Amino acid sequence: MSMNEILKTIKSRRSVRAYTEQQISQEDLSTILEAATYAPSGMGLQTWHFTAIQNAAVLEELNEKIKGAFAKSDEPRLQERGHSRTYCCYYHAPTLVIVSNEPTQWWASMDCACAMQNIFLAAKSLGIGSCWINQLGQTCDDPDVRAFLTKLGIPENHRVYGCAALGYAAAAPVKEKKLAEGTVTVIK
């Protein structure tokens, strides 16, 4: 199979779960966010919203709000995370992009997934590590979390469909991708 730069980027991207403290540049962040806005959206309506946080204190406060929501959960695994002193849902990445959308649009989650993939591929192409973060999607309806999201400027009528942790990998991810058998069918 022939390989161009886009295919190489797709095949080499891996989730990064350990980051250096080095912040990504404003130029790189702008490039990544612009790539997100070029994702397909249902009927071209672009009802999504992207909120980028690069302030360490705000990220820590957001993590504490998420932990607070987890602590109220009936699920033991989430309760454990909620009471952990060391748990950090965004792996201490210096940048977090929150991707939200209007839940009344039936395609909202799909639009956000497409935008997130663009974020990850753009980041990889710039030498920046990334990881999909789900915890805020699970907790965005908690009153304390919702109030904090509103304070950050996330539209009140939006729900969070995912977040992207962004930063420079503390160590190169070496995990080889193994394709699961039986995941592709071609009918001619």
Side-chain angles (χ1 to χ4, degrees):
M1 173 158 96
S2 66
M3 292 284 282
N4 60 36
E5 289 305 309
I6 292 171
L7 293 174
K8 287 178 187 173
T9 300
I10 290 169
K11 292 182 93 173
S12 64
R13 192 216 60 80
R14 298 289 180 276
S15 293
V16 172
R17 292 180 176 87
Y19 296 89
T20 68
E21 292 181 9
Q22 182 185 351
Q23 185 58 268
I24 67 173
S25 72
Q26 181 59 50
E27 181 181 358
D28 285 345
L29 178 60
S30 294
T31 298
I32 291 166
L33 292 172
E34 181 181 29
T37 66
Y38 275 85
S41 68
M43 299 176 59
L45 293 177
Q46 303 176 45
T47 54
W48 50 40
H49 187 84
F50 306 96
T51 305
I53 304 170
Q54 293 189 304
N55 181 303
V58 172
L59 288 170
E60 288 172 19
E61 188 174 354
L62 177 61
N63 190 61
E64 288 303 312
K65 299 287 185 194
I66 291 168
K67 285 171 53 176
F70 280 169
K72 299 174 203 171
S73 173
D74 293 333
E75 188 177 324
R77 186 178 57 97
L78 294 180
Q79 282 182 7
E80 183 180 324
R81 287 178 178 177
H83 295 292
S84 170
R85 291 176 189 238
T86 59
Y87 177 74
C88 181
C89 70
Y90 61 94
Y91 302 106
H92 301 285
T95 299
L96 184 71
V97 177
I98 301 169
V99 183
S100 64
N101 208 333
E102 299 172 7
T104 57
Q105 306 295 340
W106 64 264
W107 56 78
S109 63
M110 295 170 267
D111 286 2
C112 291
C114 289
M116 295 276 293
Q117 183 68 1
N118 278 15
I119 288 171
F120 299 136
L121 294 176
K124 175 64 179 172
S125 76
L126 297 169
I128 295 168
S130 64
C131 188
W132 187 305
I133 306 298
N134 287 312
Q135 290 82 342
L136 196 50
Q138 293 175 280
T139 60
C140 68
D141 291 330
D142 175 86
D144 292 336
V145 174
R146 181 68 251 180
F148 192 70
L149 294 176
T150 301
K151 184 174 136 184
L152 295 176
I154 295 171
E156 288 189 47
N157 66 328
H158 276 211
R159 83 169 281 103
V160 175
Y161 287 97
C163 301
L166 300 172
Y168 295 98
V174 293
K175 188 176 179 184
E176 270 305 306
K177 178 88 172 187
K178 291 188 179 187
L179 303 177
E181 290 189 36
T183 60
V184 176
T185 301
V186 178
I187 301 169
K188 292 186 179 188

